[in-house]
Amino acid sequence: MNAPTTADQLLPDFHLRDVPAALIDALKARFAERCSTALAVRTQHGRDESSFEAPPPAAVVFAESTQDVADAVALASEHGVPLIPFGVGSSLEGHLLAVQGGISIDLSRMNRVLSINADDLTVTVQPGVTRKQLNEDIKSTGLFFPIDPGADASIGGMAATRASGTNAVRYGTMRENVLGLEVVTASGEVIRTGTRARKSSAGYDLTRLMVGSEGTLGVITEITLRIYPLPEAVSAAICSFPSIEAAVRTTIEIIQLGVPIARVELIDVNTVRMVNAYAKLGLREEPMLLMEFHGSPAGVKEQAETVQELASGHGGNAFEWATTPEERTRLWTARHNAYFAAIQSRPGCRAISTDTCVPISRLADCLLESVAEADASGIPYFLVGHVGDGNFHFGYLIDPNDVDERAKAEVLNHALVSRAIALEGTCSGEHGIGLHKMGFLVDEAGAGAVDMMRTIKRALDPKNIMNPGKIFSL
Amino acid sequence: MNAPTTADQLLPDFHLRDVPAALIDALKARFAERCSTALAVRTQHGRDESSFEAPPPAAVVFAESTQDVADAVALASEHGVPLIPFGVGSSLEGHLLAVQGGISIDLSRMNRVLSINADDLTVTVQPGVTRKQLNEDIKSTGLFFPIDPGADASIGGMAATRASGTNAVRYGTMRENVLGLEVVTASGEVIRTGTRARKSSAGYDLTRLMVGSEGTLGVITEITLRIYPLPEAVSAAICSFPSIEAAVRTTIEIIQLGVPIARVELIDVNTVRMVNAYAKLGLREEPMLLMEFHGSPAGVKEQAETVQELASGHGGNAFEWATTPEERTRLWTARHNAYFAAIQSRPGCRAISTDTCVPISRLADCLLESVAEADASGIPYFLVGHVGDGNFHFGYLIDPNDVDERAKAEVLNHALVSRAIALEGTCSGEHGIGLHKMGFLVDEAGAGAVDMMRTIKRALDPKNIMNPGKIFSL
């Protein structure tokens, strides 16, 4: 395996391209005050939730319509200048950094739910709609959109990074839940992919090609999604385990038995301590599974009984159940606060987040060795996971000014990714490649497959203006 | 809408390219008796289950390994000669016809199940494994592969056409169930897409780009699939309805209520009559739904009760239940025999099959108008449908020598497809585009999206040797 060095991971490709004054003038003429060159605005649009930094984009355009996006892309294309789509800025792998300079196009004002087809269980939205906004908007229909990556991300950003999160074990990821898209291509043309039919064999799957392409093939300007009936019954539980291994082995059995669990999240003992300190939860300081069951009342009861039996076989105890929305919210507080509790546990720190995902039978091997390495490193960390999918995240809490700590965290991440790939898993379950995992993608997919991605990129974006320098180098 | 004329649908692009003797010599040198130029072999490999005809390929190569495929592709590439992958020949839209001449590569001998990972619910197979063979091979593990397009198709062919069938309403299509592929690209290079992880955000979704690409971007030589625990309980039912509309409205309510039904198939009264004549089933001669429920015993009972209530609201009656495998097989005989019963109902006929799929709320509109048109045409037909997905198939039973009948059937199909597209549906739910729906694809996706497909094709197959003349013209 031609593993990247740690240094490779830290050095994005800063080849800033020239942004001609003529382009800025043309953008200002077209967009007036919706084109900003104020440093504060540019700085805000030149970073994300990763720990990377790059010079800010030269300008930010606030799009309010597909035509706005098409015009901005056409101008960027004319001048050969990069264009980087921006939703709410919650991406985690440096996706939004203007590593080759250029223009940020902010889509947050394209935030209308365009149509709700309750009878078909579909909804069509603009890219700036956030997942919480969407669920608020469709609540009265008795339907919901299950994908929950934690952050209140924009739907456009979630599509672009192929996001998933806690409900994916039951409802799938953005890959399975995007039915169709409207996309502005690199030449500024507007195309549609997919229909509102649930399935189709009509030609190349452009929808799935765009989902997860991280803004490198076009700008997503409309998304048609599957939505689901709110389950008749929902029941949540937390359960403590004597070890991470016991919690993971329970999860493996739940999945292998085909229990249609809606959520099964691991929280390690570090995280439990952090959320106890942060939110005074008084949770038992042991590794925990948080679970949720959706279905009919009888179905939920049946699932819960099966899971309780499996858990007790591995020493699971202190089961705590919640069936009302308020009780469920309380139980899920631990999970939802994990990130902030962790950050607060070490003032001034930044989290370097890992994102491996492995076949479920390899989960214990992958996790336990990596926990041992993290413990040995001395770097503080928290560990949470969508373990039903084999996906988990370490958050290494580093002092961003301590070069040595950062390097140590990258060494841990590197060992983890190498292990996940050797176990037939992936370097990224849901965060995407961005800047941070470009070397790992080659390790995982092989040079031939990455070359195929490059060939597609060159064909669809010959001037390399769509979020260049991400996923792979050209 | 720039609709194709009926004539366009019938005139594949027969630009036969030269197949140099030097290529045949090289193939014979490499493959010996596994390269055949016998007319009978070529003829068998130059057609599928569609009603189209074309001159046979110049030779057939029987591949037994990925290396065989890579070598055959490399030789075809060297000589700029088309290469058409062949599984079992069950495709329905002219996918296998050598409309530009060239070589057929038969993958049926690559029929090994390479690994069964029961703990991870995955299996890796060669492309020539058929779905029945796969299910036979994994039966002892308590797992099954649900995708059932009717024919005992090869897994490679099913991936290449993005097949689905009766179980898709519950388990999804090949799009959702292929985790990864090994592919021989147009240059003869072997690449891997995907991993065994259940989800991934690592780069472009090459797996989904290949699934449904109908052999035009590469030859699939290995497929990793999701498999599922055999349900604890399975229950099947048939129910007769006073009208197609009543059956369809029941289906719509089942889906909208979120009942996790595993199969819900419509059979129209013509088909019931045909299967009664063919297999002496003595079924009530009314439109029928065939349903199957998978789950725990309590869950199956609950689903069945809900559905029975919904059906009775629409005049559904004569519910007949089956829980043992033998009883279920008997009930499903009607569905499985539909095609052959229909063909036998008119000796010498061929079936022209439609494949539209619409959002579930539009199903009644789409179906009922098309039934009225088909009835008015005087062409005998049968109608079956995976109605839970909004997908249904008319089979127009034409005399293949009667130009007028064929034209009439194409007019019916054209009207149906136009209707489905206007209702935000697709011209192909599961059969693919092949030769037959190239014009419809433009109507559905728009010129811009089809141009994007062409751009990808040109980039990945610059010599246009991979199954050329399918999906779109270049």
Side-chain angles (χ1 to χ4, degrees):
Chain A
M1 186 180 298
N2 182 16
T5 66
T6 300
D8 285 339
Q9 297 294 318
L10 293 174
L11 291 172
D13 186 22
F14 287 129
H15 297 299
L16 295 187
R17 296 195 229 168
D18 185 39
V19 178
L23 171 60
I24 303 294
D25 291 347
L27 289 170
K28 286 198 181 263
R30 168 66 178 79
F31 294 101
E33 76 287 354
R34 291 194 287 119
C35 172
S36 172
T37 50
L39 181 62
V41 175
R42 290 160 49 214
T43 302
Q44 188 227 333
H45 286 78
R47 63 186 180 205
D48 57 14
E49 291 291 328
S50 71
S51 62
F52 299 109
E53 286 177 16
V60 178
V61 170
F62 292 86
E64 293 180 353
S65 68
T66 297
Q67 192 58 53
D68 281 352
V69 176
D71 290 351
V73 172
L75 285 169
S77 172
E78 188 185 316
H79 293 274
V81 165
L83 191 110
I84 306 166
F86 186 99
V88 304
S90 58
S91 59
L92 288 161
E93 300 290 1
H95 297 87
L96 300 176
L97 275 63
V99 290
Q100 298 188 18
I103 308 297
S104 172
I105 183 155
D106 183 310
L107 303 159
S108 63
R109 296 183 189 176
M110 292 179 69
N111 63 352
R112 283 189 304 132
V113 174
L114 298 172
S115 62
I116 301 170
N117 293 86
D119 287 350
D120 295 320
L121 309 175
T122 71
V123 66
T124 298
V125 302
Q126 290 187 311
V129 170
T130 70
R131 65 174 184 88
K132 286 186 184 171
Q133 179 197 343
L134 172 58
N135 275 319
E136 201 54 46
D137 271 31
I138 61 178
K139 203 161 63 176
S140 65
T141 63
L143 301 166
F144 80 117
F145 175 64
I147 318 279
D148 170 10
D152 188 21
S154 69
I155 302 293
M158 288 171 63
T161 52
R162 207 182 293 130
S164 48
T166 57
N167 278 310
V169 62
R170 167 84 176 246
Y171 297 94
T173 72
M174 290 301 277
R175 182 173 76 192
E176 288 79 22
N177 287 289
V178 175
L179 284 171
L181 298 169
E182 180 187 80
V183 175
V184 175
T185 69
S187 64
E189 198 188 354
V190 180
I191 66 161
R192 283 190 174 275
T193 74
T195 67
R196 287 208 305 113
R198 262 167 72 131
K199 64 180 196 181
S200 171
S201 288
Y204 299 167
D205 194 344
L206 299 181
T207 305
R208 248 54 54 182
L209 180 63
M210 290 294 161
V211 170
S213 64
E214 305 186 6
T216 65
L217 297 177
V219 182
I220 295 171
T221 48
E222 214 177 281
I223 306 107
T224 298
L225 297 166
R226 289 182 67 162
I227 49 180
Y228 296 81
L230 279 164
E232 207 187 332
V234 175
S235 173
I238 56 174
C239 176
S240 294
F241 288 88
S243 66
I244 286 186
E245 179 163 10
V248 168
R249 300 241 174 257
T250 301
T251 306
I252 293 173
E253 289 177 11
I254 290 169
I255 299 303
Q256 289 176 349
L257 219 68
V259 177
I261 196 164
R263 290 171 153 169
V264 51
E265 297 285 306
L266 173 71
I267 298 186
D268 81 329
V269 67
N270 293 348
T271 315
V272 174
R273 286 190 193 116
M274 290 167 186
V275 293
N276 272 347
Y278 178 79
K280 313 269 175 293
L281 292 180
L283 295 167
R284 192 172 169 130
E285 296 199 344
E286 282 183 352
M288 238 172 64
L289 287 181
L290 278 91
M291 293 168 279
E292 200 166 279
F293 307 95
H294 295 180
S296 66
V300 161
K301 183 164 172 285
E302 202 170 44
Q303 292 176 48
E305 283 166 3
T306 305
V307 165
Q308 207 151 358
E309 199 174 313
L310 295 175
S312 70
H314 292 285
N317 50 45
F319 250 95
E320 193 178 336
W321 289 92
T323 50
T324 69
E326 296 70 29
E327 287 172 338
R328 285 206 307 277
T329 301
R330 192 182 63 80
L331 288 195
W332 279 92
T333 306
R335 177 68 183 88
H336 283 133
N337 283 337
Y339 181 78
F340 298 104
I343 293 290
Q344 290 225 351
S345 75
R346 188 178 185 194
C349 76
R350 294 211 65 147
I352 292 189
S353 179
T354 74
D355 183 31
T356 51
C357 182
V358 294
I360 192 87
S361 74
R362 312 296 176 91
L363 181 59
D365 289 344
C366 190
L367 238 171
L368 298 176
E369 288 188 47
S370 300
V371 165
E373 284 173 352
D375 285 338
S377 76
I379 305 261
Y381 71 91
F382 68 104
L383 169 63
V384 293
H386 316 307
V387 281
D389 286 318
N391 183 209
F392 58 87
H393 309 295
F394 281 89
Y396 306 120
L397 303 172
I398 62 156
D399 172 352
N401 301 314
D402 185 332
V403 177
D404 187 50
E405 276 201 3
R406 183 187 281 269
K408 266 192 187 171
E410 289 296 340
V411 168
L412 288 173
N413 187 24
H414 190 186
L416 167 58
V417 170
S418 299
R419 181 170 299 122
I421 292 173
L423 294 170
E424 300 181 85
T426 175
C427 64
S428 177
E430 55 183 18
H431 295 169
I433 298 297
L435 291 174
H436 190 207
K437 297 207 164 77
M438 285 168 49
F440 293 145
L441 178 64
V442 180
D443 297 342
E444 174 180 329
V450 177
D451 274 344
M452 184 177 277
M453 296 181 202
R454 286 192 182 99
T455 303
I456 293 167
K457 165 75 172 172
R458 286 197 187 98
L460 298 184
D461 179 19
K463 295 181 182 173
N464 192 26
I465 61 166
M466 307 307 291
N467 201 8
K470 311 295 162 62
I471 305 184
F472 39 70
S473 56
L474 275 184
Chain B
M1 190 179 297
N2 184 17
T5 66
T6 301
D8 286 339
Q9 297 293 319
L10 294 173
L11 290 171
D13 185 22
F14 287 130
H15 297 299
L16 295 186
R17 295 194 229 169
D18 186 40
V19 177
L23 170 59
I24 304 293
D25 291 347
L27 289 170
K28 286 198 183 264
R30 168 66 177 77
F31 294 103
E33 76 287 353
R34 291 194 287 120
C35 172
S36 173
T37 51
L39 181 60
V41 175
R42 289 161 47 213
T43 302
Q44 188 227 332
H45 286 78
R47 63 186 180 206
D48 58 14
E49 292 291 327
S50 73
S51 62
F52 300 107
E53 286 177 17
V60 179
V61 170
F62 292 87
E64 294 179 352
S65 67
T66 298
Q67 193 57 53
D68 281 353
V69 176
D71 289 351
V73 172
L75 285 169
S77 172
E78 188 185 317
H79 293 274
V81 165
L83 191 111
I84 306 167
F86 185 99
V88 305
S90 57
S91 60
L92 288 161
E93 300 289 2
H95 299 86
L96 301 175
L97 275 63
V99 290
Q100 298 189 19
I103 309 297
S104 172
I105 183 154
D106 184 312
L107 302 159
S108 63
R109 296 182 189 177
M110 291 178 68
N111 63 353
R112 283 188 304 133
V113 174
L114 297 172
S115 63
I116 302 171
N117 292 88
D119 287 349
D120 294 321
L121 310 174
T122 72
V123 65
T124 299
V125 302
Q126 290 187 311
V129 170
T130 70
R131 66 174 184 88
K132 286 186 183 171
Q133 179 198 340
L134 172 57
N135 274 317
E136 201 54 46
D137 272 32
I138 62 179
K139 204 160 65 175
S140 65
T141 63
L143 301 167
F144 81 118
F145 175 64
I147 318 280
D148 170 10
D152 189 19
S154 69
I155 301 293
M158 288 170 64
T161 52
R162 207 182 294 129
S164 49
T166 56
N167 278 312
V169 62
R170 168 81 176 248
Y171 298 94
T173 72
M174 290 301 276
R175 180 174 77 192
E176 287 81 22
N177 286 288
V178 175
L179 283 172
L181 297 169
E182 181 188 78
V183 175
V184 175
T185 70
S187 62
E189 197 188 355
V190 181
I191 66 160
R192 283 189 174 276
T193 75
T195 67
R196 288 207 305 113
R198 264 167 73 131
K199 65 178 196 182
S200 171
S201 288
Y204 298 169
D205 193 344
L206 299 180
T207 304
R208 248 53 54 181
L209 180 64
M210 290 294 161
V211 169
S213 64
E214 304 186 9
T216 65
L217 297 178
V219 182
I220 295 170
T221 49
E222 214 177 282
I223 305 107
T224 298
L225 296 166
R226 288 181 69 162
I227 50 179
Y228 296 82
L230 279 164
E232 207 188 334
V234 176
S235 173
I238 57 175
C239 176
S240 294
F241 288 87
S243 66
I244 287 186
E245 179 163 9
V248 168
R249 300 240 174 257
T250 302
T251 307
I252 293 173
E253 289 177 8
I254 292 169
I255 299 302
Q256 289 176 350
L257 220 67
V259 177
I261 195 164
R263 290 171 153 170
V264 52
E265 297 285 306
L266 173 72
I267 297 187
D268 81 329
V269 67
N270 294 347
T271 314
V272 174
R273 287 191 192 113
M274 289 167 187
V275 294
N276 272 346
Y278 177 79
K280 312 268 176 292
L281 292 181
L283 296 167
R284 191 173 170 126
E285 295 199 343
E286 283 182 351
M288 239 172 64
L289 287 181
L290 279 93
M291 292 167 281
E292 202 166 278
F293 307 95
H294 295 179
S296 65
V300 162
K301 184 163 171 285
E302 201 169 46
Q303 292 176 47
E305 283 166 3
T306 305
V307 165
Q308 208 150 356
E309 198 174 313
L310 295 175
S312 70
H314 292 284
N317 52 46
F319 251 95
E320 194 179 334
W321 288 93
T323 49
T324 69
E326 297 70 27
E327 289 172 335
R328 284 206 308 275
T329 302
R330 192 182 64 78
L331 288 195
W332 279 90
T333 306
R335 178 67 184 88
H336 284 133
N337 283 337
Y339 181 79
F340 298 104
I343 294 290
Q344 289 225 351
S345 74
R346 188 178 186 194
C349 77
R350 295 210 66 147
I352 293 190
S353 180
T354 73
D355 184 30
T356 49
C357 182
V358 294
I360 194 86
S361 74
R362 312 297 176 90
L363 182 59
D365 290 343
C366 188
L367 238 171
L368 298 176
E369 289 188 46
S370 301
V371 165
E373 284 173 353
D375 286 339
S377 76
I379 306 262
Y381 72 90
F382 68 105
L383 170 63
V384 294
H386 315 307
V387 280
D389 287 318
N391 182 209
F392 57 87
H393 309 295
F394 281 89
Y396 305 121
L397 303 171
I398 62 154
D399 172 352
N401 301 314
D402 185 330
V403 176
D404 187 51
E405 276 200 2
R406 185 187 279 268
K408 267 192 188 171
E410 291 295 341
V411 168
L412 289 174
N413 187 23
H414 190 184
L416 168 57
V417 170
S418 299
R419 182 170 299 124
I421 292 173
L423 294 170
E424 301 181 83
T426 176
C427 64
S428 178
E430 55 184 18
H431 295 170
I433 298 297
L435 291 174
H436 190 207
K437 297 208 165 77
M438 283 166 50
F440 293 145
L441 177 63
V442 179
D443 296 343
E444 174 180 328
V450 178
D451 274 344
M452 184 177 277
M453 295 181 202
R454 287 191 181 99
T455 303
I456 293 167
K457 165 75 171 170
R458 286 197 187 98
L460 298 184
D461 178 20
K463 295 181 182 173
N464 192 25
I465 60 167
M466 306 309 290
N467 202 8
K470 311 297 162 60
I471 305 183
F472 40 69
S473 57
L474 275 184

